[in-house]
Structures are given as C-alpha cells and as structure tokens.
C-alpha cells in the first residue's frame, strides 16, 4: 500500500483528464493510476488531484472489490486530508462513503497487517487527522526515529513486539481507538506495536521520561 503524503510538504494541485479517470476506473492496476497519483517530482513536489475528484473516487471505490480499492482509498485519504474546509463540507457525503469503505476493509482477515495499518491511515486522512494519517506508518516501518525532548539525543526505538525498554501505553483517545480496532480485528502484532508508539520511554543519556507519540508529532511540526 502506498505511503501517505505528509500534507505539510509541498503539494501541487492537478486536474486529471477524463480519459485518464475512465481508464483508471476500468482497472484497479491500470497505468493510469500512476498519472493520477505518483511519487514526488525531482524538485520534491507531490502532484495531487483536486478535491473535485472525491465524488469520482467514491464511485470508483464502491465499484471495486475490497482488494482492488485499497490503493484508491489511500489516495482518497490524502486528497481529503489536503482539502480545505469548504471542499470537505462540499464533499462530506463522498468522504463519508469512502470512510465507510475503508472501515469495511479493516475487517478483512486476508489482508496483511501492513495493509490494515494503511487502511487505518486512510480513515484518519478522511477524518482530517493531520499527524497520524502519515505518522502511523511507523508501525509498518517497525521503528521510530526521534530526539529526546530534554537533551536532544537522537534515538531509534524499535516498535515491534519483543523485549523493549519502552513502557507500553495508549496516551490519547485516538491511540485507544486505533488499538481497539486492531484488537477487534485480531491484529495482535499491530495492537502491541501501537502500545509502544503511544507509550513512554526513558532516555538512556539524561534519564528523562517522555511520551513517544508527543515527540513523533513534534518532529513532524518542525
């Protein structure tokens, strides 16, 4: 599943022609998807469809199977997240439809944990959650790189299940929700990793204890 774009990065709005949209809607693995959503250009700018594409995304996702719509939902989450308040209000019904489809995918036991987390990110993007719609990718990466808030030591923390000096926790209502989703879906690996990402850690250099999630979010804001 494609990684979410951090909307604090550089975005360039593009209008996608109808021929490309038709080709993409006809086949979930069509090369046309690469013309709709691709990686950043050499100058570091992401091309992202305008919010007006949301109704088309909702129709396309509804016509696709669960497996076919995974990447489309990832795109929808980013488009909705980057949309302004007026666009989110205008396309509220389509965003709600896309969110329901993403939540439906969370129940699919055939999906890999990686895809499950990606769908959680899509839901968060559709909700307009600007931090964890991108930073939840640390679960799939298995680690979080951050600085101690006191002494600024660089730390690389392993989030995967196993022996760890991280004090497990769920430091916010959102963390509790994501954890409950993972438990309900039988995603033990994801659930345990979430308790680490939203847990506490004591810096080995200065012995300061801090919330890991707060530092991840702080690094995104810089």
């Amino acid at each position: 599943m494609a990684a979410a774009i951090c909307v604090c990065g550089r975005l360039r709005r593009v209008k996608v022609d109808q021929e490309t949209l038709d080709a993409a809607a006809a086949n979930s693995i069509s090369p046309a998807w690469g013309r709709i959503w691709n990686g950043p250009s050499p100058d570091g700018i992401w091309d992202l469809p305008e919010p007006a594409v949301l109704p088309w995304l909702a129709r396309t996702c509804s016509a696709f199977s669960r497996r076919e719509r995974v990447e489309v939902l990832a795109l929808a989450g980013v488009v909705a997240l980057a949309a302004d308040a007026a666009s989110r209000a205008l396309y509220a019904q389509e965003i709600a439809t896309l969110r329901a489809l993403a939540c439906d995918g969370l129940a699919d036991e055939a999906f890999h944990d990686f895809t499950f987390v990606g769908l959680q990110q899509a839901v968060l993007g559709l909700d307009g959650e600007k931090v964890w719609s991108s930073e939840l990718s640390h679960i799939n990466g298995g680690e979080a790189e951050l600085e101690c808030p006191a002494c600024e030591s660089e730390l690389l923390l392993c989030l995967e299940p196993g022996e760890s000096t991280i004090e497990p926790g769920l430091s916010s209502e959102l963390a509790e929700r994501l954890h409950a989703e993972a438990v309900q879906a039988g995603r033990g690996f994801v659930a345990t990793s979430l308790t680490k990402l939203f847990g506490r850690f004591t810096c080995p250099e200065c012995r300061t204890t801090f919330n890991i999630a707060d530092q991840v979010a702080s690094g995104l804001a810089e």
Side-chain angles (χ1 to χ4, degrees), residues 16-36 56 60 64 72:
V16 184
D17 64 88
Q18 191 61 48
E19 182 179 356
T20 298
L21 293 177
D22 290 344
N27 187 342
S28 65
I29 59 173
S30 167
W33 287 104
R35 299 194 293 274
I36 296 173
W56 175 82
T60 301
F64 281 172
V72 189

Side-chain angles (χ1 to χ4, degrees), residues 1-7 33 36-37 46 48-49 53-54 57 61 64 66-82 98-99 101-103 114-126 133-134:
M1 185 169 189
I5 300 171
C6 174
V7 296
W33 287 104
I36 296 173
W37 188 29
W46 287 87
L48 190 66
V53 80
L54 285 165
L57 285 170
C61 275
F64 281 172
R66 272 181 174 173
R67 188 164 297 278
E68 290 173 328
R69 67 173 66 122
V70 169
E71 293 287 346
V72 189
L73 288 167
L75 169 58
V78 176
V79 172
L81 181 64
L98 289 159
R99 188 185 191 282
L101 291 171
C103 288
F114 186 94
T115 302
F116 177 85
V117 173
L119 287 168
Q120 285 188 310
Q121 288 181 261
V123 172
L124 292 171
L126 291 160
S133 55
S134 63

Side-chain angles (χ1 to χ4, degrees), residues 12 14 20 22 33 50 74 79 84 91-92 95 106 119 129 148 153 156 158 165 171 175 181 186 191 194 199 201 221:
R12 176 170 49 215
V14 295
T20 298
D22 290 344
W33 287 104
E50 298 174 340
V79 172
D84 59 23
Y91 301 117
I95 291 173
L106 294 175
L119 287 168
E129 212 297 322
C148 170
S153 293
L156 182 63
C158 177
T165 54
S171 57
E181 289 174 351
L194 283 165
F201 183 75

Side-chain angles (χ1 to χ4, degrees), residues 20 24 31-32 61-62 91 109 113 118 135 141 149 167 169 171 173 188 201-202 205 209:
T20 298
C61 275
S62 297
Y91 301 117
E109 296 179 355
D113 283 348
E135 296 306 294
E167 177 186 342
S171 57
E173 290 185 6
F201 183 75
T202 299
E205 298 295 329
T209 300

Side-chain angles (χ1 to χ4, degrees), residues 148-208:
C148 170
C151 69
E152 299 184 347
S153 293
E154 295 185 358
L155 304 169
L156 182 63
L157 308 184
C158 177
L159 304 176
E160 296 182 352
E163 291 188 14
S164 172
T165 54
I166 293 175
E167 177 186 342
L170 295 170
S171 57
S172 66
E173 290 185 6
L174 177 59
E176 293 175 355
R177 186 190 103 189
L178 295 171
H179 183 263
E181 289 174 351
V183 171
Q184 184 176 357
R187 305 282 176 173
F189 185 97
V190 175
T192 300
S193 296
L194 283 165
T195 65
K196 294 190 174 185
L197 180 60
F198 290 94
R200 292 167 60 81
F201 183 75
T202 299
C203 175
E205 298 295 329
C206 69
R207 308 308 299 171
T208 297

